[in-house]
Amino acid sequence: MATLSIDIETYSSADIRYGVYRYADAPDFEILLLGYAFDDGPVQVADLTREEVPAQFVQALFDRSVTKTAFNANFEMTCLRKLYPDMPLECWECTSILSLYNSLPTGLAKVAEILKLPSDKQKDARGKALINYFSKPCKPTKANGGRTRNRPEDAPDKWAEYIEYNRQDVVVERAIRQKLIRLKPPETEHQYWLMDQQINRNGAKIDRQLVTNAIRMNQDYSAHLRAEAARITGLSNPNSVSQLKHWVEDRLGETVTALDKKAVASLLGRGLPGDVRRVLKIRQLMGRTSVKKYEAMEQAVCSDGRVRGMFQFYGAMRTGRWAGRIVQLHNLPRSSMPLDELQAARRVVLRGDLEELELLWDNVPDVLSQLVRTAIVAEDGCRFIVDDYSAIEARVIAWLSGERWRQDVFARGGDIYCASASAMFGVPVVKHGANGHLRQKGKIAELALGYGGGVGALKAMGADRMGLSDEELTEIVAKWRKASPAIVRFWWDVDAAARQAIRNPGETVTIRQGGLRFHCRAGALFIELPSGRHLVYIHPHIGQNRFGGEAILYAGMEQGTRTWGTLETYGGKLVENIVQAVARDCLAAAMLRLTKAGYRILMHVHDEVITEVPKNGGSLEDVTRIMAMNEPWENGLIKNADGFEDIYYRKD
C-alpha cells in the first residue's frame, strides 16, 4: 500500500489555541503551502498562493488504497476538508498518535530529538518566526504600510525559507513514522482514533445567551466588588496585595504575612472589625470570579454555534486516556445545587438579572461556576443522554487482581465503600445505618490505597482534615491491606514481572492473574493489556532510586519540569497505570459500540459519555445496556452504568 506523507502551512485570523475547527472556520482561512511525498520519494511543496493543488495529490486523497499520514493529522484532515468535504478519512493515520502510543511526547521537534534522528531529519528551528510572520495577522504600522497581514511578496526571502521549512517538516514526520511503524498500535486503536475524530467534529452546541450573560454579569459583579472595597479602604487599587496588606495591618495593628487564599480564610476565622471582615470577604469572592470556561466557549464557538475539538486522543501518554482541550471539560467545577435550584439560577442568568441573582444567592461567582456545564445544550428537537460507569477503577483492579469478595460486592450491586469499611473493621457497615460513620474511612481508603499508597496518599485525599491522627491513618492502611490481600499480591506480582522482563530482554513474563504479559524489545518495556494494547516504558533498567534503594527506572517526561529525563516506578505505580489504561479501554470499547448502534457522541468526561439523540429516539436504558456489555477480553469484569436525560449538560 502506498503512503502519502503530508504537512501544510495555513493562514487564519482565528487563534489556533481555540482549536483547528474554529481556526479553519474563519472566513479568511486558507492553505498556503502543501508539502507532500509519496513513499520514499522526494518531498514536493506546492505554493497554493500561486498554483492549484496538484492533480496527483487530489487523486491520492480520494484513493482509499493510499495511506495518508501527518503529524497531528487532525489538523491536516480538518483543513483539507475545507477544500474537499467528501475526502475519505478512514485511510488516514497520525504519526503523533504513533509517537504517543510509544510514550513519546507531543512535539515534532522533541520526538525527532529523542529518537536521535540524523541532523538532516531534525525539525527546522526557523519555524516559529515564519509562522508568526506569514500565518497570523500582523499589527498595522507606518513601516509596513498599515497592512494587517504579511504575504509572500512582502518578504520573498522569508517566503523561500517558509517553503523549505514546510519541506523539512515532511522529511521529519516521514522519518519518525519509518522509525516507529514496527511498533504500531493494534487496528482497534485506529478505529478508536477515527471515532475520536468524529466526536471532535460533532462538537457541542453552546447556549450563547447564557455564556454572554454570565461573562457580563461576572464583569459587573466584579466591578461592584472593587468599588465597594475601594469605598471601604480608600485605596486606589484594592486589588493590589501590597496596598491591601498595609491597610489590613493598619486596621489590625499587627503584621500580616500574606493575603493568599489560605491566609484570608485563616483571618476570616478570627474575630475581626466589620470593615476588615467585609474587605477580606470581597477578596475571597473576587478570587472565585473566574469565568474562563465561559470565555473559552465564547472564543472557540464556530459559526454554527458549536464548540469542537475538545478532546485529545491519547492525551495521557502513559495510559492512553483522553485529555481535555479548549474548554477543558475534565476539570469543570462541581455543582452542589439541587436540580430545581440549578434550574432557577439558570433562568435568572438567561434573563441577565444580576440584581436578582445577588438577592437570591449570596455567592454570585460560585453560582456562575456551577452553571458552566449547563451552557452546553442539546440541539433543538434533541436531548442529551448522559451515562457513566460506576467505580470503574475499583471494579477493574478487583477483576485483574482476583479480589473475589470485591467482585461479589459489585455482582450484588453493593456499596464498595461500605463493604471495604466492613472488611477493614470487621463489623457490618450500612450507609446512613449501622456503623455508617465508618463508611467515610472506607471511602478514603478505596480512593487512596489501591495503588500501594500509605499515610501520605490518605492525607493527599484529605484524610487528615477529617480529624484523623497519623496513628489512625496508619491503622487504616494496615487494615485495608489486610482486607485486600489479592490486590497487595498483585502489586508485588507486577513489580516482579517487570523486573524479570527488564533483566531478560526477549523473554515474555506472564502474570496468571489478569493475564498481563511483560517483555522487553526495541529498547522498551511493553506491558500487554487484556485488550491487546501495550503500555510502553522507554529505556527501562534497574537502578538506584532517590532513597538509595533498587528501583525500576525509565525515560519519560517529568511532570513538574516538562523535560525529558529519568523516571522511577514500582509495582503499585505500574498497577495504577494498568488499571487506568484498562478502564480507558472499557470506555473506548463502549463508545465504539454506542457509535455503531447509531448514538451520536458529543462528549465524554472521565468515565461518562454524553450522547445527543432526537426527542423520540434512543433511550437511557439502551445506552446503559450497551455501556455495561463486555468485549471478549473483558470476560468476568462486572460493570455498571447509570445516568439521566436532559436538554442541557449537568451532573446528576
Side-chain angles (χ1 to χ4, degrees), residues 207-221 343-361 364 368 371:
D207 188 326
R208 288 181 164 179
Q209 189 65 57
L210 183 75
V211 168
T212 300
N213 287 358
I215 293 170
R216 179 184 56 77
M217 292 167 81
N218 177 74
Q219 290 170 343
D220 292 348
Y221 184 70
Q343 291 170 334
R346 192 174 189 277
R347 287 193 293 269
V348 173
V349 174
L350 279 171
R351 289 197 297 271
D353 194 331
L354 178 58
E355 187 176 335
E356 184 180 359
L357 197 67
E358 287 187 81
L359 182 66
L360 296 175
W361 290 275
V364 169
L368 293 177
L371 289 174

Side-chain angles (χ1 to χ4, degrees), residues 264-284:
V264 169
S266 177
L267 284 168
L268 286 171
R270 297 169 37 184
L272 296 171
D275 58 348
V276 176
R277 177 169 296 280
R278 179 55 187 164
V279 168
L280 291 178
K281 187 66 178 175
I282 288 173
R283 179 163 179 80
Q284 202 173 52

